[in-house]
Amino acid sequence: MVRYVLFDFDGTLVDSLNIVIEVYNQLASKYEAKKIEQKDIAHIKRLSITERSKFLDFKLYKFPLLALDIYKLYKYSIKDLILFDGIKELLEELNACGFQLAIVSTNSEQNIRECLKHNQIDFINEIICSNNMFGKNEDIKRFLKTHKLKDSEAIYVGDEVRDIIAGKKSGVKVIWVSWGYDQIDNAKNEHPNYIVHKPHEILSISQSI
């Protein structure tokens, strides 16, 4: 039985794509990378992270530094950040049903807490953050160990291929959401346990496992 529902943040709970692109474009020259043009977004979403880096002439090893810079500037747009339709209701229903909720993200804890406060969500106490874009599986493993949870007692919800990979490596089942950053064909190639198109489906799955 699932006790904890763990969520990714950007692209899963909040519609932050335009903010991230805007901030990235402000930093592109610093990292000697190409800016993202509106006409390229659909194409970029179909690419893997490695392919995106090549397309943008960005050195992947610089990502930790870029992420820190992005989230420093990101905080100035928190007021413009919105939850995807149905997400607040989903979180409230999960909480009312007795599920414990946590967020595992590469965004900063300050940004996430500010967004939750702005949206009057005060029942998510645990936020696990790391600037290692490929290290979420270690974060999830530590979370399970800290809370003495079996793999079957937690499920991870994310929108990117790397979320699927992280969940599988950590041993928990993964729900992939179709409204985020990555395209469904890429996600299917990694075989998530569940694919959902509406937030309320996450509640049904969590209750049925």
PDB file of all heavy atoms in Angstrom, residues 88-105:
ATOM      1  N   LYS A  88      -3.866  21.594  -7.522  1.00  0.00           N
ATOM      2  CA  LYS A  88      -4.146  21.931  -6.123  1.00  0.00           C
ATOM      3  C   LYS A  88      -5.227  21.016  -5.568  1.00  0.00           C
ATOM      4  O   LYS A  88      -5.125  20.529  -4.432  1.00  0.00           O
ATOM      5  CB  LYS A  88      -4.579  23.397  -5.993  1.00  0.00           C
ATOM      6  CG  LYS A  88      -4.800  23.796  -4.527  1.00  0.00           C
ATOM      7  CD  LYS A  88      -5.037  25.275  -4.357  1.00  0.00           C
ATOM      8  CE  LYS A  88      -5.166  25.629  -2.875  1.00  0.00           C
ATOM      9  NZ  LYS A  88      -5.405  27.074  -2.661  1.00  0.00           N
ATOM     10  N   GLU A  89      -6.259  20.762  -6.363  1.00  0.00           N
ATOM     11  CA  GLU A  89      -7.339  19.873  -5.920  1.00  0.00           C
ATOM     12  C   GLU A  89      -6.804  18.464  -5.683  1.00  0.00           C
ATOM     13  O   GLU A  89      -7.183  17.799  -4.712  1.00  0.00           O
ATOM     14  CB  GLU A  89      -8.448  19.842  -6.970  1.00  0.00           C
ATOM     15  CG  GLU A  89      -9.224  21.142  -7.124  1.00  0.00           C
ATOM     16  CD  GLU A  89      -8.510  22.202  -7.958  1.00  0.00           C
ATOM     17  OE1 GLU A  89      -7.426  21.895  -8.531  1.00  0.00           O
ATOM     18  OE2 GLU A  89      -9.017  23.328  -8.043  1.00  0.00           O
ATOM     19  N   LEU A  90      -5.909  18.001  -6.557  1.00  0.00           N
ATOM     20  CA  LEU A  90      -5.306  16.683  -6.385  1.00  0.00           C
ATOM     21  C   LEU A  90      -4.546  16.598  -5.070  1.00  0.00           C
ATOM     22  O   LEU A  90      -4.711  15.637  -4.304  1.00  0.00           O
ATOM     23  CB  LEU A  90      -4.349  16.387  -7.545  1.00  0.00           C
ATOM     24  CG  LEU A  90      -3.409  15.193  -7.334  1.00  0.00           C
ATOM     25  CD1 LEU A  90      -4.183  13.894  -7.319  1.00  0.00           C
ATOM     26  CD2 LEU A  90      -2.300  15.183  -8.367  1.00  0.00           C
ATOM     27  N   LEU A  91      -3.693  17.581  -4.814  1.00  0.00           N
ATOM     28  CA  LEU A  91      -2.897  17.572  -3.586  1.00  0.00           C
ATOM     29  C   LEU A  91      -3.793  17.593  -2.350  1.00  0.00           C
ATOM     30  O   LEU A  91      -3.536  16.871  -1.368  1.00  0.00           O
ATOM     31  CB  LEU A  91      -1.949  18.768  -3.570  1.00  0.00           C
ATOM     32  CG  LEU A  91      -0.891  18.804  -4.690  1.00  0.00           C
ATOM     33  CD1 LEU A  91      -0.076  20.088  -4.607  1.00  0.00           C
ATOM     34  CD2 LEU A  91       0.021  17.590  -4.611  1.00  0.00           C
ATOM     35  N   GLU A  92      -4.847  18.390  -2.394  1.00  0.00           N
ATOM     36  CA  GLU A  92      -5.774  18.459  -1.260  1.00  0.00           C
ATOM     37  C   GLU A  92      -6.485  17.126  -1.051  1.00  0.00           C
ATOM     38  O   GLU A  92      -6.672  16.685   0.096  1.00  0.00           O
ATOM     39  CB  GLU A  92      -6.784  19.583  -1.486  1.00  0.00           C
ATOM     40  CG  GLU A  92      -6.162  20.973  -1.395  1.00  0.00           C
ATOM     41  CD  GLU A  92      -7.112  22.090  -1.795  1.00  0.00           C
ATOM     42  OE1 GLU A  92      -8.125  21.806  -2.487  1.00  0.00           O
ATOM     43  OE2 GLU A  92      -6.846  23.251  -1.424  1.00  0.00           O
ATOM     44  N   GLU A  93      -6.873  16.468  -2.141  1.00  0.00           N
ATOM     45  CA  GLU A  93      -7.563  15.185  -2.033  1.00  0.00           C
ATOM     46  C   GLU A  93      -6.628  14.093  -1.517  1.00  0.00           C
ATOM     47  O   GLU A  93      -7.018  13.264  -0.680  1.00  0.00           O
ATOM     48  CB  GLU A  93      -8.149  14.787  -3.384  1.00  0.00           C
ATOM     49  CG  GLU A  93      -9.346  15.642  -3.796  1.00  0.00           C
ATOM     50  CD  GLU A  93      -9.815  15.351  -5.211  1.00  0.00           C
ATOM     51  OE1 GLU A  93      -9.175  14.513  -5.885  1.00  0.00           O
ATOM     52  OE2 GLU A  93     -10.809  15.959  -5.642  1.00  0.00           O
ATOM     53  N   LEU A  94      -5.402  14.080  -2.011  1.00  0.00           N
ATOM     54  CA  LEU A  94      -4.425  13.112  -1.517  1.00  0.00           C
ATOM     55  C   LEU A  94      -4.196  13.298  -0.023  1.00  0.00           C
ATOM     56  O   LEU A  94      -4.157  12.325   0.752  1.00  0.00           O
ATOM     57  CB  LEU A  94      -3.098  13.261  -2.273  1.00  0.00           C
ATOM     58  CG  LEU A  94      -3.045  12.729  -3.701  1.00  0.00           C
ATOM     59  CD1 LEU A  94      -1.783  13.236  -4.408  1.00  0.00           C
ATOM     60  CD2 LEU A  94      -3.077  11.204  -3.720  1.00  0.00           C
ATOM     61  N   ASN A  95      -4.057  14.547   0.381  1.00  0.00           N
ATOM     62  CA  ASN A  95      -3.853  14.853   1.802  1.00  0.00           C
ATOM     63  C   ASN A  95      -5.059  14.426   2.625  1.00  0.00           C
ATOM     64  O   ASN A  95      -4.909  13.813   3.697  1.00  0.00           O
ATOM     65  CB  ASN A  95      -3.593  16.355   1.966  1.00  0.00           C
ATOM     66  CG  ASN A  95      -3.333  16.748   3.407  1.00  0.00           C
ATOM     67  OD1 ASN A  95      -2.406  16.252   4.038  1.00  0.00           O
ATOM     68  ND2 ASN A  95      -4.149  17.644   3.937  1.00  0.00           N
ATOM     69  N   ALA A  96      -6.255  14.703   2.141  1.00  0.00           N
ATOM     70  CA  ALA A  96      -7.479  14.345   2.854  1.00  0.00           C
ATOM     71  C   ALA A  96      -7.644  12.832   2.978  1.00  0.00           C
ATOM     72  O   ALA A  96      -8.227  12.337   3.944  1.00  0.00           O
ATOM     73  CB  ALA A  96      -8.693  14.943   2.143  1.00  0.00           C
ATOM     74  N   CYS A  97      -7.093  12.103   2.001  1.00  0.00           N
ATOM     75  CA  CYS A  97      -7.190  10.633   2.012  1.00  0.00           C
ATOM     76  C   CYS A  97      -6.110   9.987   2.876  1.00  0.00           C
ATOM     77  O   CYS A  97      -6.066   8.757   2.984  1.00  0.00           O
ATOM     78  CB  CYS A  97      -7.105  10.096   0.593  1.00  0.00           C
ATOM     79  SG  CYS A  97      -8.565  10.432  -0.413  1.00  0.00           S
ATOM     80  N   GLY A  98      -5.244  10.789   3.448  1.00  0.00           N
ATOM     81  CA  GLY A  98      -4.244  10.260   4.370  1.00  0.00           C
ATOM     82  C   GLY A  98      -2.877   9.979   3.780  1.00  0.00           C
ATOM     83  O   GLY A  98      -1.991   9.475   4.472  1.00  0.00           O
ATOM     84  N   PHE A  99      -2.670  10.318   2.516  1.00  0.00           N
ATOM     85  CA  PHE A  99      -1.350  10.133   1.916  1.00  0.00           C
ATOM     86  C   PHE A  99      -0.398  11.213   2.416  1.00  0.00           C
ATOM     87  O   PHE A  99      -0.787  12.370   2.579  1.00  0.00           O
ATOM     88  CB  PHE A  99      -1.433  10.200   0.389  1.00  0.00           C
ATOM     89  CG  PHE A  99      -2.138   9.050  -0.244  1.00  0.00           C
ATOM     90  CD1 PHE A  99      -3.462   9.167  -0.652  1.00  0.00           C
ATOM     91  CD2 PHE A  99      -1.501   7.834  -0.425  1.00  0.00           C
ATOM     92  CE1 PHE A  99      -4.137   8.107  -1.233  1.00  0.00           C
ATOM     93  CE2 PHE A  99      -2.161   6.768  -1.008  1.00  0.00           C
ATOM     94  CZ  PHE A  99      -3.479   6.900  -1.416  1.00  0.00           C
ATOM     95  N   GLN A 100       0.850  10.837   2.658  1.00  0.00           N
ATOM     96  CA  GLN A 100       1.893  11.800   2.965  1.00  0.00           C
ATOM     97  C   GLN A 100       2.495  12.273   1.646  1.00  0.00           C
ATOM     98  O   GLN A 100       2.716  11.472   0.734  1.00  0.00           O
ATOM     99  CB  GLN A 100       2.976  11.164   3.839  1.00  0.00           C
ATOM    100  CG  GLN A 100       2.478  10.649   5.172  1.00  0.00           C
ATOM    101  CD  GLN A 100       1.977  11.774   6.058  1.00  0.00           C
ATOM    102  OE1 GLN A 100       2.644  12.812   6.200  1.00  0.00           O
ATOM    103  NE2 GLN A 100       0.817  11.587   6.658  1.00  0.00           N
ATOM    104  N   LEU A 101       2.773  13.566   1.552  1.00  0.00           N
ATOM    105  CA  LEU A 101       3.258  14.142   0.301  1.00  0.00           C
ATOM    106  C   LEU A 101       4.642  14.746   0.490  1.00  0.00           C
ATOM    107  O   LEU A 101       4.945  15.330   1.526  1.00  0.00           O
ATOM    108  CB  LEU A 101       2.292  15.215  -0.200  1.00  0.00           C
ATOM    109  CG  LEU A 101       0.810  14.821  -0.309  1.00  0.00           C
ATOM    110  CD1 LEU A 101      -0.004  16.005  -0.812  1.00  0.00           C
ATOM    111  CD2 LEU A 101       0.629  13.619  -1.217  1.00  0.00           C
ATOM    112  N   ALA A 102       5.465  14.606  -0.541  1.00  0.00           N
ATOM    113  CA  ALA A 102       6.798  15.209  -0.524  1.00  0.00           C
ATOM    114  C   ALA A 102       7.162  15.616  -1.939  1.00  0.00           C
ATOM    115  O   ALA A 102       6.566  15.135  -2.910  1.00  0.00           O
ATOM    116  CB  ALA A 102       7.827  14.236   0.035  1.00  0.00           C
ATOM    117  N   ILE A 103       8.132  16.508  -2.053  1.00  0.00           N
ATOM    118  CA  ILE A 103       8.605  16.979  -3.358  1.00  0.00           C
ATOM    119  C   ILE A 103      10.090  16.658  -3.486  1.00  0.00           C
ATOM    120  O   ILE A 103      10.872  16.911  -2.563  1.00  0.00           O
ATOM    121  CB  ILE A 103       8.364  18.492  -3.524  1.00  0.00           C
ATOM    122  CG1 ILE A 103       6.855  18.783  -3.595  1.00  0.00           C
ATOM    123  CG2 ILE A 103       9.067  19.025  -4.770  1.00  0.00           C
ATOM    124  CD1 ILE A 103       6.504  20.256  -3.597  1.00  0.00           C
ATOM    125  N   VAL A 104      10.468  16.078  -4.623  1.00  0.00           N
ATOM    126  CA  VAL A 104      11.869  15.783  -4.940  1.00  0.00           C
ATOM    127  C   VAL A 104      12.202  16.548  -6.215  1.00  0.00           C
ATOM    128  O   VAL A 104      11.638  16.265  -7.268  1.00  0.00           O
ATOM    129  CB  VAL A 104      12.103  14.274  -5.149  1.00  0.00           C
ATOM    130  CG1 VAL A 104      13.580  13.999  -5.420  1.00  0.00           C
ATOM    131  CG2 VAL A 104      11.621  13.477  -3.934  1.00  0.00           C
ATOM    132  N   SER A 105      13.110  17.513  -6.127  1.00  0.00           N
ATOM    133  CA  SER A 105      13.303  18.432  -7.250  1.00  0.00           C
ATOM    134  C   SER A 105      14.731  18.925  -7.343  1.00  0.00           C
ATOM    135  O   SER A 105      15.477  18.911  -6.350  1.00  0.00           O
ATOM    136  CB  SER A 105      12.357  19.633  -7.084  1.00  0.00           C
ATOM    137  OG  SER A 105      12.591  20.614  -8.066  1.00  0.00           O
TER     138      SER A 105
END
